[in-house]
Amino acid sequence: TIIGAGVLGIPYVVAEAGFLTGLVTIILLGIVVMLINLSVGEIVLRTKGKHQLTGYAEKYLGKKGKYLFTLSMVIGIIGALLAYIVGIGKALGAIFGMNPFWFSIGFFLFGSALVYYGIKSVSESELYLSGIVITLILIISFISLFSGKMNISNLSEFNITRLFVPYGVVLFAFIGAAAVPEMNEIFKKNKKDFKKAIFIGSLIPVFLYALFALAVVGVLGNRVTEIATVGLGLEFGKIVVVLANLFAVFAMTTSFLTLGLALREMYNYDYKIKPLSSWILACFVPFILFLFGFKNFIRILDTTGVIAGGVEGILIILMLWNAKKKSDRKPEYVLGIGKIVGIVLISVFALGIILNFI
């Protein structure tokens, strides 16, 4: 759930901040998000019955908490869908050397039609799709690292005042807490491995994002494009243009389908909106935003990550505090996130939101 299109924007913001600055941001935010994911795990283990994040928000924060969590999820998914419409257009435009606008239109017609008919098999095959995406990240990274085009001077800059420059895009790329309740179902007969799975699943993206940023920034320096694979293709020629941008299209298409379907079903199941209206709300809101000129891939990722990821992180900490007081059952593991650590985490998310708007 974590690894998706967000990885494509990371090298650009890391290059803007300076590679070492961006690397520190990736590592620190990776640790923060790991704690958030582990917090969700403890909340799940303290609660009887099956719920998703909005259900836990309602149980531990009331109706207002549920609506606020729903709002953050809607903003996050709409922002992601908008980014995919923009990003896929640019990736296909790079492959075929044509205007990306029309590819974005064509992809929207294709993707929204699949969301309308409900392609559930997409989410069922996510393990294999994620495996392919991870493999392609590794291949592209190693091509860059061993191409002879690496420039160490591109990797030496550190500026502590620019730590928050990559913040929103990196946070967007790490969002994945919604998978934790589903993981609990898989581990219901062996809950002792639940914590380990969350830890490993949160750690893998940190390594892959750092590796991908190292490879792309090392080769391109300040010539990194908003969608990293576009710039790599220009540097290495047609074969890498096709390989790298097909990876981008592949990653964003699968994400568009799963998130579009999830949003449509949330409107339909949780808020009793009719299926056709649910589909229109899920797919056409990001498309209308695209038509009105919201086409800056990095800005979309940044703003979506800061708002959706920030609000979600704050609410999860508040939910954990209340869950510790009102447990339904004894959890298999307990995190030592008390008031001080919790306030630090909340402050990180709040500061990110404030700095983004400034």
Side-chain angles (χ1 to χ4, degrees):
T1 302
I2 293 172
I3 297 172
V7 65
L8 301 170
I10 285 178
Y12 181 85
V13 291
V14 166
E16 277 199 329
F19 174 74
L20 293 178
T21 315
L23 182 62
V24 171
T25 302
I26 290 171
I27 293 170
L28 291 179
L29 270 183
I31 293 169
V32 167
V33 173
M34 182 185 295
L35 290 173
I36 292 298
N37 293 338
L38 287 167
S39 297
V40 176
E42 185 180 335
I43 292 167
V44 169
L45 292 174
R46 286 183 178 275
T47 312
K48 291 180 180 178
K50 296 180 182 180
H51 304 278
Q52 238 305 336
L53 289 176
T54 49
Y56 292 112
E58 182 175 20
K59 180 175 178 64
Y60 294 115
L61 300 176
K63 288 286 186 183
K64 289 181 180 179
K66 178 188 177 182
Y67 293 141
L68 191 55
F69 212 108
T70 299
L71 180 62
S72 74
M73 284 182 66
V74 169
I75 290 172
I77 293 176
I78 286 175
L81 297 180
L82 174 59
Y84 302 148
I85 292 170
V86 173
I88 286 174
K90 288 187 176 183
L92 289 174
I95 292 173
F96 294 102
M98 296 168 62
N99 188 339
F101 176 81
W102 298 110
F103 285 109
S104 291
I105 297 290
F107 167 73
F108 168 75
L109 295 174
F110 166 76
S112 61
L114 291 182
V115 171
Y116 177 79
Y117 288 108
I119 311 299
K120 290 182 181 292
S121 59
V122 171
S123 58
E124 292 169 2
S125 60
E126 271 297 296
L127 176 63
Y128 305 103
L129 299 177
S130 296
I132 293 169
V133 169
I134 291 170
T135 302
L136 286 171
I137 291 173
L138 292 172
I139 290 171
I140 292 165
S141 297
F142 284 116
I143 287 173
S144 300
L145 288 170
F146 298 105
S147 64
K149 296 188 177 186
M150 291 289 292
N151 186 343
I152 299 301
S153 65
N154 292 336
L155 306 173
S156 59
E157 186 180 349
F158 179 78
N159 185 341
I160 196 168
T161 64
R162 299 183 69 78
L163 276 175
F164 273 88
V165 170
Y167 175 90
V169 174
V170 173
L171 183 55
F172 178 94
F174 275 127
I175 292 174
V180 177
E182 307 300 329
M183 291 170 65
N184 182 51
E185 292 303 305
I186 296 170
F187 286 94
K188 58 187 176 184
K189 293 182 179 179
N190 190 11
K191 291 186 183 295
K192 290 182 179 179
D193 285 338
F194 185 40
K195 181 181 180 182
K196 188 191 299 183
I198 296 171
F199 178 81
I200 295 170
S202 300
L203 195 62
I204 291 171
V206 178
F207 168 75
L208 287 173
Y209 294 168
L211 175 66
F212 191 61
L214 171 69
V216 177
V217 177
V219 170
L220 297 177
N222 58 11
R223 295 178 292 117
V224 178
T225 50
E226 285 191 357
I227 299 171
T229 50
V230 173
L232 281 178
L234 295 173
E235 183 70 23
F236 289 108
K238 191 63 180 178
I239 293 177
V240 177
V241 167
V242 175
L243 177 66
N245 287 295
L246 278 179
F247 150 60
V249 170
F250 188 76
M252 287 188 276
T253 299
T254 56
S255 296
F256 183 94
L257 297 178
T258 51
L259 288 178
L261 190 61
L263 187 57
R264 193 200 81 178
E265 290 181 344
M266 188 195 76
Y267 289 140
N268 184 210
Y269 298 159
D270 296 342
Y271 290 91
K272 310 305 177 187
I273 298 173
K274 293 181 179 179
L276 179 61
S277 300
S278 297
W279 172 68
I280 291 171
L281 282 172
C283 291
F284 280 81
V285 171
F287 183 61
I288 290 168
L289 290 171
F290 170 76
L291 294 179
F292 272 88
F294 289 86
K295 298 175 185 176
N296 186 316
F297 184 74
I298 293 296
R299 176 52 61 188
I300 295 166
L301 296 186
D302 184 51
T303 303
T304 303
V306 165
I307 297 174
V311 171
E312 181 179 292
I314 291 169
L315 291 176
I316 286 170
I317 294 299
L318 297 177
M319 287 156 57
L320 177 64
W321 285 346
N322 285 341
K324 286 179 181 290
K325 298 175 185 175
K326 300 185 288 187
S327 293
D328 293 340
R329 62 185 298 278
K330 184 179 179 181
E332 279 69 17
Y333 73 82
V334 176
L335 287 180
I337 296 184
K339 290 294 181 182
I340 295 176
V341 176
I343 289 170
V344 169
L345 294 174
I346 288 172
S347 299
V348 169
F349 292 123
L351 186 59
I353 294 170
I354 293 166
L355 290 176
N356 181 268
F357 280 105
I358 290 175

